């Protein structure tokens, strides 16, 4: 064999080895490059002159150099939901985490008000996954409510046509928010089940709390008899209204909100790990390690300025009650939630290193055999 042929074979072998080594790297590193351990900042760009706006910042998870999230202590029950999410899943998870943070009184990392220019900045932040929750406020007779969102710091910026993408450690986002001027509002709750093959384990009823600014205001029971739904009318629009479902063994809830309708999708699943929860009140039915926010003694419900919920026999198909009217909403640019191009389709990456290692072994085996044949030929 000529020297040129040997050189070409060895060059090809080196190239194949390099490709196989790259395949052994995590998919996120191949797509983005590693994240540096350095401080970050997050600027929330809101509306000018809306100095009433306040935002709370929570650190939900750490992020590794190869873009894997590990939940912090206060959010550890969400660990199984932090990797492999779709964009809609991130939005739903942000709503759920935001409501839980208020409900459980989770300590926030920082809380800031918007300046006259509509901006506020959280600086000196570690890398990680952050939850931003805006507080409801009134301005010029209208009620504004920013939508909670999740953001990874740093955040990956899409490459331009003639340039490469990069990690941005100083991120600016513009959240969405809803606007309404009504004095009272209606809210509906609808339970949805995703438990094919396990319907026999579905409970006969579930308990749902209606929360006013994070405090239990009313409690209802959903069953097949009321089609797993309920309506509250004439709720004071000065407050933020959310819902929480009491724990359902073996199911994981996913919350949504569209128009005036809250949805609770209960998926059959392994309950979240609470073997080492953060310290708190053991009477909490959702997580024994977090403080529970039970209904009060009823004195607040007797406030004549805040009507009670309608009786259980309220007809949901009343033609005067729209199914889901769209809210008046001002659309701002979507924030990067939480990474613009993070793979989140549920691909299985664990076989790749095994296949790559197997390929390298077979390649080396062939190379050794070829060397022996060359030696014998000489």
């Amino acid at each position: 064999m000529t020297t040129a042929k040997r050189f070409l074979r060895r060059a090809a072998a080196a190239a194949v080895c390099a490709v196989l080594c790259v395949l052994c790297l995590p998919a996120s590193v191949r797509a983005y490059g590693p994240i540096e351990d350095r401080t970050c900042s997050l600027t929330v760009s809101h509306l000018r002159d809306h100095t009433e706006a306040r935002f709370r910042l929570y650190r939900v998870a750490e992020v590794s150099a190869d873009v894997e999230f590990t939940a912090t202590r206060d959010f550890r029950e969400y660990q199984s939901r932090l990797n492999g999410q779709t964009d809609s899943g991130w939005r739903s998870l942000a709503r759920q985490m935001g409501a839980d943070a208020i409900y459980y009184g989770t300590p926030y990392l920082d809380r800031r008000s918007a300046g006259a220019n509509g901006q506020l900045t959280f600086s000196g932040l570690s890398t990680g996954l952050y939850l931003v929750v805006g507080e409801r406020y009134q301005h010029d007779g209208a009620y504004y409510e920013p939508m909670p969102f999740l953001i990874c710091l740093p955040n990956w910026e899409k490459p331009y046509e003639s340039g490469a993408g990069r990690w941005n450690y100083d991120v600016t986002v513009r959240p969405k928010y809803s606007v309404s001027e009504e004095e009272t509002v209606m809210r509906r709750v609808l339970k949805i089940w995703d438990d094919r093959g396990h319907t026999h384990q579905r409970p006969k009823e579930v308990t749902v709390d209606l929360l006013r600014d994070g405090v239990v205001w009313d409690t209802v029971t959903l069953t097949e008899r009321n089609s797993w739904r309920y309506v509250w009318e004439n709720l004071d629009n000065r407050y933020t209204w959310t819902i929480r479902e009491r724990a359902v063994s073996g199911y994981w809830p996913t919350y949504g909100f569209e128009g005036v309708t809250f949805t609770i999708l209960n998926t059959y699943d392994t309950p979240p790990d609470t073997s080492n929860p953060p310290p708190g009140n053991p009477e909490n039915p959702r997580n024994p390690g977090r403080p529970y926010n039970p209904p009060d003694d009823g004195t607040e419900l007797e406030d004549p300025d805040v009507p009670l919920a309608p009786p259980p026999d309220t007809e949901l198909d009343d033609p005067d009650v729209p199914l889901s009217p769209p809210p008046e909403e001002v659309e701002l640019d979507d924030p990067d939630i939480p990474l613009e191009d993070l793979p989140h389709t549920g691909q299985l990456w664990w076989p790749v290193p095994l296949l790559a290692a197997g390929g390298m072994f077979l390649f080396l085996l062939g190379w050794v055999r070829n060397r022996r044949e060359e030696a014998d030929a000489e």
Side-chain angles (χ1 to χ4, degrees):
M1 180 179 294
T2 65
T3 303
K5 287 185 177 180
R6 290 179 180 176
F7 175 79
L8 290 176
R9 283 195 174 188
R10 291 175 181 176
V16 172
C17 287
V19 170
L20 292 176
C21 289
V22 170
L23 288 176
C24 290
L25 294 174
S28 54
V29 173
R30 297 200 305 272
Y32 302 102
I35 292 176
E36 299 177 14
D37 184 15
R38 50 183 279 196
T39 58
C40 308
S41 69
L42 175 63
T43 298
V44 179
S45 181
H46 197 48
L47 299 174
R48 289 184 176 275
D49 300 323
H50 283 229
T51 55
E52 305 92 342
R54 293 185 178 87
F55 292 84
R56 302 183 185 187
L57 183 69
Y58 301 84
R59 189 167 186 259
V60 170
E62 299 175 356
V63 61
S64 66
D66 56 355
V67 201
E68 289 291 326
F69 297 121
T70 302
T72 58
R73 187 172 177 81
D74 286 334
F75 293 91
R76 65 177 301 155
E77 63 187 282
Y78 294 98
Q79 177 59 53
S80 62
R81 268 68 186 178
L82 293 182
N83 296 290
Q85 281 286 0
T86 62
D87 287 345
S88 60
W90 285 121
R91 289 190 289 270
S92 176
L93 191 60
R95 286 192 295 265
Q96 185 173 348
M97 284 184 169
D100 277 349
I102 302 299
Y103 180 61
Y104 293 123
T106 304
Y108 49 81
L109 184 65
D110 200 354
R111 178 173 180 256
R112 292 182 178 273
S113 301
N117 62 352
Q119 292 191 343
L120 59 101
T121 299
F122 300 101
S123 57
L125 303 176
S126 303
T127 58
L129 182 65
Y130 288 85
L131 170 69
V132 181
V133 179
E135 301 176 13
R136 188 181 183 83
Y137 66 94
Q138 187 175 14
H139 181 84
D140 288 343
Y143 299 97
Y144 293 78
E145 184 169 355
M147 300 294 103
F149 63 90
L150 288 160
I151 183 75
C152 178
L153 298 180
N155 204 262
W156 181 257
E157 290 189 344
K158 291 182 179 179
Y160 296 100
E161 294 183 1
S162 59
R166 68 181 184 91
W167 288 111
N168 181 10
Y169 292 81
D170 299 296
V171 181
T172 298
V173 295
R174 290 185 288 173
K176 290 184 177 181
Y177 57 94
S178 62
V179 185
S180 60
E181 297 181 353
E182 296 80 5
E183 293 300 322
T184 61
V185 294
M186 180 185 70
R187 291 291 182 264
R188 176 188 288 108
V189 60
L190 172 63
K191 158 67 64 182
I192 305 171
W193 297 96
D194 180 13
D195 56 355
R196 182 176 299 178
H198 301 277
T199 54
H200 61 284
Q201 296 182 250
R202 185 185 299 179
K204 294 183 179 180
E205 62 181 37
V206 296
T207 303
V208 176
D209 292 323
L210 176 69
L211 312 179
R212 190 183 82 171
D213 285 348
V215 177
V216 175
W217 175 256
D218 191 24
T219 301
V220 298
T221 301
L222 305 183
T223 66
E224 287 187 1
R225 185 173 177 273
N226 57 17
S227 300
W228 303 100
R229 60 185 70 188
Y230 191 80
V231 171
W232 293 276
E233 295 186 274
N234 299 320
L235 300 175
D236 194 329
N237 199 21
R238 293 175 299 175
Y239 303 99
T240 297
W241 299 96
T242 54
I243 58 169
R244 300 306 319 147
E245 179 184 71
R246 303 284 179 88
V248 180
S249 179
Y251 287 84
W252 178 268
T254 300
Y255 296 88
F257 181 65
E258 181 68 26
V260 299
T261 302
F262 295 108
T263 58
I264 308 175
L265 173 63
N266 273 42
T267 304
Y268 187 80
D269 197 5
T270 303
D273 179 19
T274 58
S275 59
N276 185 28
N281 190 337
E283 296 180 359
N284 175 5
R286 179 68 180 90
N287 183 336
R290 303 181 78 174
Y292 177 44
N293 187 355
D296 55 27
D297 59 6
T299 54
E300 187 172 323
L301 293 177
E302 297 174 0
D303 184 351
D305 296 329
V306 184
L308 297 176
D313 59 350
T314 300
E315 185 63 43
L316 291 176
D317 295 327
D318 187 343
D320 296 329
V321 180
L323 177 61
S324 183
E328 182 183 354
E329 186 176 85
V330 178
E331 292 284 343
L332 297 179
D333 292 345
D334 281 333
D336 302 328
I337 307 176
L339 283 167
E340 288 186 345
D341 296 324
L342 184 66
H344 45 53
T345 55
Q347 303 104 313
L348 295 178
W349 292 104
W350 64 265
V352 172
L354 298 180
L355 294 175
M360 293 181 67
F361 173 76
L362 293 175
F363 170 79
L364 291 174
L365 186 64
W367 181 78
V368 170
R369 183 176 179 181
N370 184 66
R371 292 287 295 174
R372 287 179 177 176
E373 290 178 352
E374 290 180 0
D376 293 341
E378 294 175 354

